[in-house]
Amino acid sequence: MAAPSSCGPALSLRVVAECGLSKARACELRLPHGPVLSPVFMPVGTQGTMKGITARQLEGLGCRICLGNTYHLGMRPGPELIKQANGLHGFMNWQQNLLTDSGGFQMVSLVELSEVTEEGVRFRSPYDGEEILLTPEKSIQIQNALGSDIMMQLDDVVSSTLTGPRVEEAMYRSIRWLDRCIAANRQPDKQNLFAIIQGGLDPALRTKCLEEMTQRDVPGFAIGGLSGGEAKDRFWRMVTLSTDRLPRAKPRYLMGVGYATDLVVCIALGCDMFDCVFPTRTARFGSALVPWGSLPVKNKQFAKDFRPIDENCDCPTCRRYSRAFLHALFRSETAAMHLLTVHNIAYQLNLMRSIRESILEQRFPQFVRDFMRAMYGSRERYPLWAVDALASVNITLE
């Protein structure tokens, strides 16, 4: 029997350039709300908005795709209300592309409030205590109502540090749930359903999941179940195992990854798409992302520093405000978090653009060397896992 298909004309991927040494590549994803150039970092808007930045500002920074959370949007304000607003695009006044997650991650983040069975995930609402059953069909129904350009399958998510039979159970259930999600999608010609590779840190389980899921004709694949506190040496090996076995002609989305070094390394390992709350969350704690790590502007050492966060950054915050101003503002005004969020998102998007440009110009390995030198100063400070991961794809660090 033929494997289920969810493929329609809603997504196409063109590989524009590939690194001659590593697995890095520059692609163009054609989606219903316009093209997206990869590698791409996608900011996370849990409830239809980014914390600390408006949709217009995000668009002004060049963002062409961001995330919404199916679980939280399904709870509040609810899919029916959003559907009346012509979907999540209309509701949040966002003219670019949207990716919605499936709600599966809440199995880990709200583990004390959830119970998993073959039918689905039973949650107790953190808002009012009401019991809710999220099935693969219900997840897709909500995502169809939200009208996202990319939808994620509901998968059985377990902690990345978990071992034992529960990991295997979750992997096989995720395959079965993928088939149910494909069958439930009412708009395959408008909304792209991505599969999520599971299998924990077990190479055999992850390989089996890859073999099964790549038989399904879905528009794209995500690498899930990682970036949850596992050792980085095991993390990167699961990433490269996955990209080795994913089809070249479809996008590869590594979920939950947002640290700059992780992004650079995983692009070298063949990933195209990333998301993480890190840049917005770290802004709320008073830190700005910079090529040499982070700048804690809330600290008193910046009270009389009249330089911008980064003299080489052209974002609205760096063009207009000093470290001293942001330091003073952070002590009493939430506006400081907003200005830092704008900068941090700009930093992530600019990093992606620089990486893409280096791939197009066939100088990605040198870009990586320059990035690592700027980030860590000396080779003795380079994380060993990153050195090993890059060496595995023929990028040696000086």
Side-chain angles (χ1 to χ4, degrees):
M1 190 175 86
S5 172
S6 130
C7 240
L11 179 149
S12 66
L13 178 126
R14 183 169 68 96
V15 179
V16 180
E18 296 175 288
C19 173
L21 280 179
S22 70
K23 293 191 281 182
R25 60 192 203 159
C27 303
E28 181 184 42
L29 284 78
R30 300 199 175 187
L31 291 165
H33 285 83
V36 172
L37 304 181
S38 75
V40 61
F41 178 82
M42 304 176 287
V44 178
T46 300
Q47 292 179 302
T49 181
M50 304 298 117
K51 290 183 179 178
I53 189 169
T54 67
R56 176 171 287 188
Q57 288 174 316
L58 199 58
E59 200 166 1
L61 293 176
C63 179
R64 295 296 174 258
I65 183 168
C66 64
L67 263 71
N69 183 285
T70 294
Y71 173 80
H72 289 288
L73 289 166
M75 299 287 293
R76 290 183 178 179
E80 291 309 314
L81 180 69
I82 293 175
K83 194 172 183 179
Q84 290 173 32
N86 295 316
L88 189 53
H89 290 89
F91 189 70
M92 62 184 284
N93 192 25
W94 176 248
Q95 307 304 314
Q96 307 300 327
N97 294 286
L98 282 167
L99 182 151
T100 45
D101 70 4
S102 64
F105 178 69
Q106 275 63 46
M107 295 181 207
V108 173
S109 64
L110 300 175
V111 65
E112 294 179 2
L113 301 174
S114 68
E115 176 193 0
V116 186
T117 66
E118 189 62 29
E119 187 180 7
V121 195
R122 201 170 295 280
F123 288 101
R124 192 164 297 282
S125 168
Y127 301 110
D128 57 14
E130 181 185 349
E131 192 174 272
I132 301 137
L133 177 65
L134 184 66
T135 64
E137 293 78 13
K138 183 66 174 176
S139 173
I140 297 302
Q141 181 188 351
I142 295 171
Q143 293 184 79
N144 278 157
L146 297 178
S148 51
D149 302 272
I150 296 175
M151 308 186 297
M152 304 307 298
Q153 74 154 106
L154 184 66
D155 53 340
D156 187 353
V157 183
V158 296
S159 169
S160 62
T161 58
L162 189 69
T163 57
R166 177 70 182 95
V167 180
E168 182 174 7
E169 175 191 51
M171 183 274 286
Y172 279 109
R173 181 173 287 137
S174 295
I175 297 168
R176 295 191 295 271
W177 282 4
L178 172 59
D179 291 339
R180 289 168 62 184
C181 287
I182 291 171
N185 184 10
R186 295 292 172 259
Q187 301 185 99
D189 58 329
K190 296 178 181 177
Q191 293 181 271
N192 301 282
L193 175 63
F194 277 29
I196 303 177
I197 306 300
Q198 290 291 348
L201 301 174
D202 186 321
L205 291 181
R206 200 161 278 271
T207 299
K208 179 63 176 176
C209 192
L210 283 154
E211 289 171 354
E212 288 289 332
M213 287 191 172
T214 52
Q215 291 179 37
R216 277 72 175 167
D217 188 16
V218 290
F221 294 89
I223 302 168
L226 298 174
S227 197
E230 72 277 6
K232 282 292 180 64
D233 191 59
R234 302 189 74 186
F235 158 80
W236 79 259
R237 294 178 192 279
M238 292 302 100
V239 172
T240 202
L241 179 150
S242 301
T243 57
D244 279 346
R245 291 161 176 79
L246 287 171
R248 178 179 178 274
K250 294 185 179 181
R252 305 159 181 169
Y253 164 28
L254 180 56
M255 306 179 80
V257 168
Y259 294 145
T261 300
D262 297 10
L263 293 171
V264 170
V265 171
C266 291
I267 287 168
L269 298 179
C271 297
D272 305 311
M273 304 167 65
F274 307 87
D275 80 284
C276 192
V277 298
F278 170 66
T280 49
R281 180 173 289 167
T282 199
R284 296 196 295 277
F285 286 101
S287 283
L289 302 179
V290 287
W292 56 95
S294 64
L295 196 76
V297 294
K298 67 177 181 179
N299 290 1
K300 63 182 180 181
Q301 72 198 77
F302 300 106
K304 296 180 181 180
D305 190 337
F306 297 103
R307 293 173 295 171
I309 293 170
D310 180 0
E311 291 171 342
N312 294 315
C313 178
D314 194 40
C315 80
T317 301
C318 287
R319 285 202 310 266
R320 296 173 187 147
Y321 303 107
S322 69
R323 298 173 182 183
F325 174 77
L326 293 166
H327 170 81
L329 202 64
F330 196 85
R331 297 172 67 87
S332 59
E333 296 288 339
T334 57
M337 300 180 198
H338 165 76
L339 294 172
L340 286 177
T341 299
V342 170
H343 168 79
N344 284 357
I345 294 293
Y347 171 83
Q348 299 286 93
L349 299 180
N350 287 334
L351 176 62
M352 294 294 103
R353 288 189 201 103
S354 298
I355 291 171
R356 178 182 171 83
E357 190 175 288
S358 77
I359 297 170
L360 294 174
E361 295 175 359
Q362 290 299 320
R363 53 178 179 83
F364 176 69
Q366 188 57 50
F367 174 93
V368 174
R369 294 184 191 104
D370 293 343
F371 168 87
M372 295 293 286
R373 193 180 304 113
M375 182 64 71
Y376 297 102
S378 65
R379 198 184 191 287
E380 292 71 35
R381 298 177 59 199
Y382 293 174
L384 183 57
W385 75 268
V387 174
D388 290 343
L390 291 166
S392 77
V393 286
N394 307 307
I395 297 179
T396 55
L397 300 177
E398 299 156 352

